[in-house]
Amino acid sequence: MQPNPQRLDGVSRRAVAGLAVTQIIGWGTTFHLPAVLGSVMAPSIGISMEVLFGGISVQLLASALVAPRIGRRIDRLGGRAIMVGGSVLIALALALISQAQGPLLYFLGWALIGFATPMALGAGTQASLAQVAGPGARRAVSVLLFFTGLPSFFFWPLASWLEPLIGWRHTALLFAALHLVICVPIHFAVLSRRVPVRPSGS
């Protein structure tokens, strides 16, 4: 009897739920950061708002450079170790950005986020989930994509609330900690097994 791809098994549901959390945290603490805190970050770092938003361009460029290689590694090795490494790299990048006193360290942080993007966010996450979900991959990825639209719902008000209390630098450090204490354990837990995607008709 062929599995019903419209229904997710327990492993797949756990993976979707866990990766939904890590995607909300991942995008909310990186891509949305300048939009929320840019007005206080720019003068503190000593750069203009235009230069500040250039960090996003650096992220996208770095991501495009490494994405094909990361995709091939996920196909060969599975996603768990790569996604764990991506979360650690994002934590390091946010820590660097939090210490930036000029454009050099700031852009270095965004370059690291760019390298980590295909590892722990976006297409890399979908490929890793597909390996776990097997025949239900399409359904699982569709459900996960719904949650990728929610980071601003959580992190815009959270960052806006934290910044007056602890400042943007400590907010960035707190966001870095989220990747270490929440995202890393989740990636270990929900990507603990890889289900080979079988050719159709097998």
Side-chain angles (χ1 to χ4, degrees):
M1 181 178 178
Q2 294 293 326
N4 183 355
Q6 299 301 316
R7 299 189 63 180
L8 301 179
D9 61 20
V11 172
S12 298
R13 287 196 298 269
R14 186 178 68 166
V16 170
L19 293 177
V21 172
T22 67
Q23 294 305 283
I24 290 172
I25 292 174
W27 290 111
T29 59
T30 58
F31 191 79
H32 295 285
L33 189 66
V36 186
L37 301 181
S39 61
V40 292
M41 290 174 66
S44 175
I45 296 171
I47 56 179
S48 67
M49 287 291 289
E50 291 79 9
V51 173
L52 184 95
F53 279 100
I56 301 296
S57 298
V58 172
Q59 175 195 7
L60 296 176
L61 177 61
S63 175
L65 290 174
V66 301
R69 180 175 298 179
I70 296 300
R72 290 191 293 269
R73 285 185 172 271
I74 291 175
D75 285 342
R76 292 199 312 268
L77 306 174
R80 183 174 67 173
I82 292 172
M83 293 198 70
V84 167
S87 292
V88 172
L89 196 56
I90 292 174
L92 173 61
L94 289 171
L96 290 177
I97 290 172
S98 78
Q99 303 304 308
Q101 300 293 338
L104 182 60
L105 201 59
Y106 177 74
F107 284 126
L108 176 59
W110 279 104
L112 293 181
I113 290 174
F115 295 148
T117 296
M119 298 171 66
L121 301 171
T125 303
Q126 296 166 29
S128 301
L129 177 59
Q131 291 174 339
V132 173
R138 181 175 298 181
R139 173 67 172 170
V141 170
S142 296
V143 174
L144 180 63
L145 286 174
F146 168 79
F147 292 96
T148 61
L150 298 180
S152 60
F153 179 80
F154 293 99
F155 277 89
W156 282 50
L158 178 61
S160 299
W161 176 69
L162 286 172
E163 194 281 325
L165 295 177
I166 61 176
W168 79 265
R169 295 183 186 273
H170 285 94
T171 298
L173 286 174
L174 178 60
F175 287 172
L178 294 181
H179 287 271
L180 297 178
V181 302
I182 297 179
C183 296
V184 167
I186 287 176
H187 291 153
F188 265 117
V190 305
L191 299 175
S192 58
R193 72 181 179 99
R194 176 180 175 183
V195 180
V197 180
R198 299 177 180 178
S200 59
S202 62

